[in-house]
Amino acid sequence: MSSTITVKDKKFAVSIPAKEIQSTIDRMGAEINRDLEGKDPLFISVLNGAFIFAADLMRRITIPCQISFIKFASYHGGLDSTGKVTDLIGLQENIEGRTVVIVEDIVDTGRSMVHLLEALNAGHPKEILIAPLLMKPDKLEVDLKLDYIGLRIPNDFILGYGLDYDGYGRNLKDIYTLVEE
Ligand code: IMP
Ligand code: MG
């Protein structure tokens, strides 16, 4: 099948075509424009994974807003190789009293998001809303209120559209799922 690709040592097949990703973001953008009108939101996007999603989502936002980028010190979504959450870097803005919207690629166990919420809450924002493009409902290990969910997906490992396998695959337009052999 032409839609199967090999990234490093693993095979992947398209599971969410670019068109579906884009229509999902159309919907999310419309919801955010409707809900946050007059709130002067600050969008905070989590690098690296969310960079493409953030770029696409932000171009749907028609209300006045700002965007900033942050990163966890360890590359994998805020968890180091032992599953420990690492430090947050890059936030320059004063978020006191602001409506903050976290723009994330995916919420998996939810542990990185909990850590991020703790770190951001220390800056006393008015409210924090969470907008992940994807979530894996069966993997969630923590109590999290997700405000704008793009798509709910199965537990399988995915890549593309910003998401990576060992740093590769972020540039793919579609989202792919690991094919078990
Ligand atoms: P959590 O702390 O378990 O929710 O981890 C979330 C982070 O892990 C995301 O921000 C991603 O960077 C990464 N991640 C989770 N699932 C996948 C996947 O299926 N493919 C690629 N990266 C993933
Ligand atoms: Mg991430």
Side-chain angles (χ1 to χ4, degrees), residues 10-160:
K10 301 218 184 310
K11 279 209 166 76
F12 293 85
V14 173
S15 54
I16 311 173
K19 252 184 127 165
E20 188 180 346
I21 299 171
Q22 295 302 323
S23 60
T24 298
I25 301 172
D26 284 342
R27 194 198 75 229
M28 296 176 81
E31 289 171 3
I32 291 169
N33 285 326
R34 180 199 63 203
D35 294 351
L36 303 189
E37 170 108 63
K39 290 193 156 195
D40 185 27
L42 171 64
F43 290 86
I44 295 182
S45 168
V46 187
L47 296 173
N48 294 327
F51 81 112
I52 293 182
F53 170 49
D56 278 347
L57 178 66
M58 292 314 295
R59 282 175 288 179
R60 267 86 165 181
I61 302 303
T62 53
I63 57 174
C65 64
Q66 294 176 317
I67 182 157
S68 188
F69 294 86
I70 55 165
K71 198 173 168 118
F72 289 103
S74 113
Y75 125 90
H76 202 265
L79 302 183
D80 69 15
S81 50
T82 62
K84 256 184 61 200
V85 176
T86 61
D87 285 340
L88 192 70
I89 46 181
L91 189 67
Q92 314 278 328
E93 284 76 8
N94 177 8
I95 64 170
E96 192 173 342
R98 297 288 306 261
T99 291
V100 170
V101 183
I102 300 175
V103 178
E104 243 301 30
D105 51 357
I106 184 166
V107 171
D108 190 49
T109 65
R111 295 197 177 278
S112 313
M113 189 57 73
V114 166
H115 177 61
L116 181 53
L117 287 174
E118 274 171 23
L120 292 177
N121 272 320
H124 305 291
K126 179 177 170 205
E127 59 185 334
I128 302 178
L129 304 167
I130 308 177
L133 176 63
L134 305 163
M135 77 160 302
K136 296 177 179 171
D138 297 334
K139 286 283 281 291
L140 198 63
E141 294 173 7
V142 291
D143 187 24
L144 261 188
K145 179 175 161 282
L146 301 175
D147 300 277
Y148 302 99
I149 299 171
L151 297 165
R152 291 171 176 80
I153 60 168
N155 281 353
D156 316 292
F157 187 81
I158 56 160
L159 94 173

Side-chain angles (χ1 to χ4, degrees), residues 6-12 165-166 178 181:
T6 300
V7 176
K8 293 192 76 182
D9 53 335
K10 301 218 184 310
K11 279 209 166 76
F12 293 85
Y165 167 47
D166 201 15
L178 182 65
E181 287 176 277

